[in-house]
Structures are given as C-alpha cells and as structure tokens.
Amino acid sequence: MKNLTRRQFGKGVAAAATASALLPRFAFGEPMPSPLHYPKGFLWGCATAAYQIEGGAAADGRGPSLWDVFSHTPGKTHNGETGDVADDSYHLYKEDVKLLKNLGVSTYRMSMSWSRVFPDGAGKPNPKGMDYYNRVVDELLANGITPYITLFHWDTPAALDGGWQNRATSKSFADYAAYVTKRLGDRVNHWMTTNEFICFTDLGYQIAQFAPGLKLPPAEVNQIRHHAILAHGLAVQAIRANTPSSTQVGLAENAVVFVPVIETDEHVAAARKATRLGNAPFLTTLMEGKYPEEHLAHEGANAPKVEEGDLKAIGSPLDFVGLNIYTPQYVRAADNPMGFAVEQAPSSYPHMFSPWLTLGPECIYWGVRNVCDLWKPKAIYITENGTSSDDVLTSEGRVEDVDRVMYLRNHLTHLHRAVKEDYPVKGYFLWSLMDNFEWADGYSKRFGIHYVDFKTLKRTPKLSAEWYKATIAKNAVE
Ligand code: GBH
C-alpha cells in the first residue's frame, strides 16, 4: 500500500466497490433506511457558555466570577490557562453569529455571565453588561436565529458571600433572573435556569476539580446541592412573573444516562430505576417535587435542611427539560434492594480525546427514553452533545476531525430512534460552535466544530462543520 499513489489506491477501492455491488443485497434483513429524516420543524442549533467564549473579563464593569478566581489560582487549570480572553466573543460576537448563519442553524444556546450584569452578584446592576446581551440577541434575531439562553453556566459572582454555601445566593440568582428576563423577555422566549448542577456543586465543593475548589464534608455538600436546586426553582418563578405567558422555561441538566447492558425488559427496567436514584438530588427532586425517600434514608443525618416552600419552588412545572448527553453508564438488573447494579467497563472500553468521554452513542436514545418514561416532560431538547478531538490545522487550513464526525453521526442516528418512537424531542444543540476554554482542561481540549487559533482568534470551519451544515440542510442524517 505504501507504494501506491493516491490514484492507484482510489482505483482499488472503486474496484472493490464494484465487486460488492454484484453481491446479493439485503441478504441480512431490512437495511437501515438512509438517510434518516428528522421531522419538519426539528430545531438544529449550537451551544456555548459565557465564561468559555466571551473573554472581556474586566470589560465594561464586569465583576469576577469564581471561575476567574479559580483559573487565576496556580495549579488549578491546564498550564494555568484562564478565560480572560477565550474566544473574545465579547468583541467578536458578530463574527460568531456569521458562523451560525453559515451553518444554517435555526437556534443558538448561549449563556449569560451573571457578574457582567450584577458585578457583585446582587444589588446594583451594570447596564453596560446588560447592553452586551441586548446586542447579541438583536444580532441573532436580525439573522433569523432564535436565542435560547442559559442564565447560569457555573460562573458564580465571586462577590457573593460564601457562594453556594450561602442560601442567600439562591435568592440573588432569582433576582438576577427577574432582572434579565424582564429586559430580554420581549425577544427571548426560551430560558434555561442552570447548567449541570453537579458541576458547580459536587465538582466545586466536594471534589475540588472545578471552582471554587473546595473539599467539604457530605452534609455541607448536600446543603449546597439544595441551594442550587432552590436557585433553579426560585428562578423559574421569577421568570414566569416577568415574562409573557408564552415563555418556555426549563434547564440544561447532565443527568447520568443509564443504558441497559442488553435491551431486555429486566435491564430496561433497571435503567429506569437507576435513572431515578442515580439523579436523586437533582433532576429527580425537580421532577417529583420532593427528595426520594431512598435518597433521604441513604443520606441520613447528612440530608439537607429544607425550609417551607422550598420544594414547591423546586418542583415548579417546566415547559421543557434540556439534557446534556455525552457518555453512557451501563447498568444491569440485580437482586439487591435497589434492583440494579452499575457495570464497571473494562479498561479496553473506547473513549474520545477526553479520557472521560467514553463512546456509546445509544446513550442519547436512553437519556431521552428514561427521562420521558419516568416523568413525561412536555418537551425535551438535547442542550449539549459533542466531543473533543485532537484537532490539527493543516498547512492548507483544514481540520479533518473524522472522529468528531463519527461521534456526531452515531449520536444523531440513535437520537433519531427516540424521535421515531415519538418521544417529544424538539431540538438538538451541538457542543460546541467553536473551540473554547474547557474549564480545568484549559485550551488543551477542543470541542468546537470551528477551529480557533487562540493567538489570532481566527475561526476556521472543521470537517464537522461542513458535515453539520449538510445534515441541517437535508434535515437528515446519513
Ligand atoms: C459539559 O459538561 C459542559 O456543560 C460544558 O461547559 C463543557 O465544555 C462540555 O461539557 C465538555 O466538557 O476530568 O474525568 O474528572 C459535561 C460534564 C463534567 C464532563 C466534568 C467532564 C470531568 C470529568 N463534564 N467532567 S474528569
């Protein structure tokens, strides 16, 4: 093969293809219909988050967030990298809207920096910070792109005393939600309160991998989790009180996706039970309006202190549930009180460029199905799905991220099954529009479908951007 020129090799492939065309077709049953069409009106979008793309960390009166503090603390992020500049979307947002427009997406999921709008987290707002979001929203709408806004994607204002350890933070979050939605609610109809509870509670306050980098005992962590879901609940109420009745409110949650080891009734039931208990302190409590008994019994004296009215707010009805889905957790039926056991995957299990990103595209189907079978939400969005890749920009200016295309194609193939089975999936947001600050991994892990040169900030579409554009144009996966 080494001695073959590209042309000769191509000829060989062509010959093989001709030979296979002579073989009997469909010998093994019905072929997979191709392409897999999505329903008319299905929403295609991209997702980003404020601290990961905006930069402008001190621009126009923005206050620092816990992530500014954390990333500036030696040893916390890859090479000490920070979001000070990131993609500088604070200044280059028009360029980013052009990227979206060129892809043909109908929606864009972005988040807002709380400390840009309230530099101290509470009290006096910063109109210049608010103006930035007015400009971004107007630019999106002028280009026919519908904004979906997340109010909080981990960038807690540093000035808030005690952060999520302090119950007052939940109330400040609701005040911020009220302020923002009152001003944008005439143009933005879809709001997500928070992004991924576990990442700003457990990972920040128990594991110390994320801001603020603490290692607190279980009782305190449970109280922090409670403040987080309370913040969500109070924000839902605040949004409803300040926006037209047609406004759609939800959240973006990375519920653990339990996938049955084998698709038989007993393992399918086990996956459902695991979904309920494995997400007990977060999505389950939101959807059921109370902490599951099993969870409280398990936490015992460490269970959170709950005040009157908390659970009513936390259980506020939602218009949609957004799911951020990346990886599967395999589970089997088991003869134990819980009725399930989580599988330990062998060390040979494949993963993408980020070691945590184990590959199992059926997770996107089971994520939707488990949540819908348990709680029947009115609508589901996939608010994030995507992968890192060891991208290389060639001298011809190309990025051939075939592994990302493989990842996306397979996930959208399995999502199609959920749509076909009539689960109410309304849209899909690819993570991410462009390479950005990947939290503790700094700039070492790229998730974008546009390559960003972090020196020049030049954006270049990757192969995956071309692929996504074609997918959107066809409204079908192939
Ligand atoms: C999402 O989190 C985030 O919403 C988004 O901001 C982020 O850029 C994107 O995923 C890609 O990571 O290093 O083994 O300890 C996904 C959930 C939680 C997955 C933290 C990675 C760290 C695992 N993430 N987790 S590890």
Side-chain angles (χ1 to χ4, degrees):
M1 174 118 126
K2 229 179 178 175
N3 297 326
L4 286 178
T5 63
R6 213 169 208 198
R7 233 184 119 83
Q8 286 166 326
F9 177 59
K11 269 188 189 158
V13 171
T18 315
S20 77
L22 300 173
L23 293 172
R25 303 189 73 193
F26 313 136
F28 301 104
E30 285 298 303
M32 185 90 124
S34 181
L36 295 169
H37 285 279
Y38 273 72
K40 203 165 171 274
F42 188 84
L43 297 176
W44 298 104
C46 287
T48 60
Y51 190 67
Q52 296 182 269
I53 66 160
E54 283 179 4
D60 296 327
R62 177 182 177 273
S65 76
L66 293 182
W67 264 99
D68 293 85
V69 177
F70 186 74
S71 64
H72 279 271
T73 307
K76 299 298 183 192
T77 63
H78 176 82
N79 285 344
E81 286 156 359
T82 75
D84 285 0
V85 178
D87 295 325
D88 199 21
S89 204
Y90 189 72
H91 299 104
L92 302 178
Y93 69 91
K94 287 193 180 169
E95 215 177 289
D96 296 335
V97 174
K98 277 202 193 107
L99 301 180
L100 290 162
K101 176 97 179 162
N102 179 51
L103 287 170
V105 296
S106 48
T107 56
Y108 177 50
R109 174 177 174 242
M110 56 185 265
S111 87
M112 292 179 65
S113 157
W114 181 352
S115 61
R116 213 182 266 298
V117 181
F118 285 93
D120 297 326
K124 215 164 140 323
N126 171 30
K128 282 192 173 166
M130 191 64 218
D131 280 351
Y132 169 63
Y133 296 107
N134 273 311
R135 291 195 297 277
V136 174
V137 163
D138 289 343
E139 184 71 12
L140 287 165
L141 292 174
N143 283 280
I145 297 161
T146 305
Y148 278 53
I149 298 187
T150 313
L151 289 166
F152 176 68
H153 198 123
W154 312 349
D155 41 3
T156 315
L160 288 173
D161 187 27
W164 292 101
Q165 290 175 268
N166 187 348
R167 189 181 156 95
T169 295
S170 313
K171 172 72 171 59
S172 301
F173 180 63
D175 293 344
Y176 153 66
Y179 180 88
V180 162
T181 55
K182 199 173 191 153
R183 280 155 187 81
L184 289 173
D186 58 333
R187 284 157 291 155
V188 177
N189 306 316
H190 296 83
W191 295 94
M192 285 145 287
T193 54
T194 49
N195 182 74
E196 302 188 350
F197 291 117
I198 202 166
C199 293
F200 66 94
T201 58
D202 298 38
L203 296 191
Y205 290 88
Q206 184 169 43
I207 318 278
Q209 189 195 352
F210 281 3
L214 302 178
K215 289 188 179 171
L216 300 177
E220 288 183 52
V221 174
N222 277 329
Q223 201 57 42
I224 286 160
R225 292 166 162 182
H226 183 71
H227 296 157
I229 60 173
L230 177 62
H232 155 83
L234 295 176
V236 174
Q237 294 177 335
I239 299 168
R240 298 237 188 265
N242 285 283
T243 55
S245 59
S246 56
T247 297
Q248 306 282 296
V249 188
L251 80 170
E253 181 56 344
N254 61 331
V256 184
V257 177
F258 292 95
V259 174
V261 267
I262 298 171
E263 200 173 325
T264 59
D265 290 350
E266 56 166 353
H267 299 307
V268 169
R272 203 157 48 231
K273 286 179 205 158
T275 301
R276 185 166 177 274
L277 291 184
N279 295 293
F282 303 122
L283 192 60
T284 307
T285 302
L286 253 63
M287 300 312 281
E288 300 185 3
K290 61 188 176 79
Y291 285 101
E293 291 302 332
E294 300 91 324
H295 175 68
L296 292 177
H298 182 259
E299 297 301 315
N302 293 326
K305 284 185 227 37
V306 177
E307 293 186 17
E308 205 180 322
D310 287 5
L311 289 167
K312 182 152 191 287
I314 290 167
S316 297
L318 299 175
D319 301 301
F320 66 90
V321 170
L323 296 173
N324 295 356
I325 299 186
Y326 290 89
T327 61
Q329 179 73 69
Y330 292 103
V331 71
R332 59 163 56 252
D335 197 7
N336 63 27
M338 295 186 307
F340 65 87
V342 168
E343 287 278 11
Q344 190 68 44
S347 65
S348 55
Y349 196 94
H351 62 80
M352 306 302 290
F353 190 42
S354 303
W356 60 269
L357 230 168
T358 50
L359 179 64
E362 67 279 17
C363 67
I364 204 164
Y365 166 77
W366 288 101
V368 171
R369 175 164 163 182
N370 291 332
V371 166
C372 289
D373 288 355
L374 279 166
W375 301 302
K376 316 244 168 329
K378 286 186 220 153
I380 293 269
Y381 289 94
I382 301 301
T383 34
E384 287 181 24
N385 172 244
T387 185
S388 52
S389 164
D390 192 6
D391 295 320
V392 177
L393 184 66
T394 66
S395 50
E396 299 94 61
R398 297 185 59 82
V399 179
E400 303 290 354
D401 55 342
V402 289
D403 54 347
R404 183 175 287 107
V405 172
M406 175 277 288
Y407 180 97
L408 296 170
R409 180 193 289 124
N410 280 289
H411 281 77
L412 284 174
T413 297
H414 285 271
L415 183 63
H416 185 270
R417 178 178 170 198
V419 171
K420 206 174 73 190
E421 292 178 11
D422 284 334
Y423 290 104
V425 188
K426 305 294 180 204
Y428 172 91
F429 294 88
L430 194 161
W431 185 272
S432 182
L433 172 64
M434 56 191 166
D435 298 337
N436 55 50
F437 176 73
E438 176 56 12
W439 308 111
D441 287 336
Y443 298 97
S444 69
K445 294 289 182 293
R446 296 172 175 273
F447 275 79
I449 57 173
H450 292 92
Y451 185 92
V452 177
D453 177 329
F454 291 108
K455 288 206 181 73
T456 61
L457 298 177
K458 184 172 187 285
R459 286 95 158 116
T460 305
K462 303 178 189 176
L463 175 67
S464 53
E466 256 177 76
W467 178 85
Y468 195 41
K469 183 176 175 154
T471 301
I472 295 168
K474 285 180 288 204
N475 198 32
V477 185
E478 58 184 350

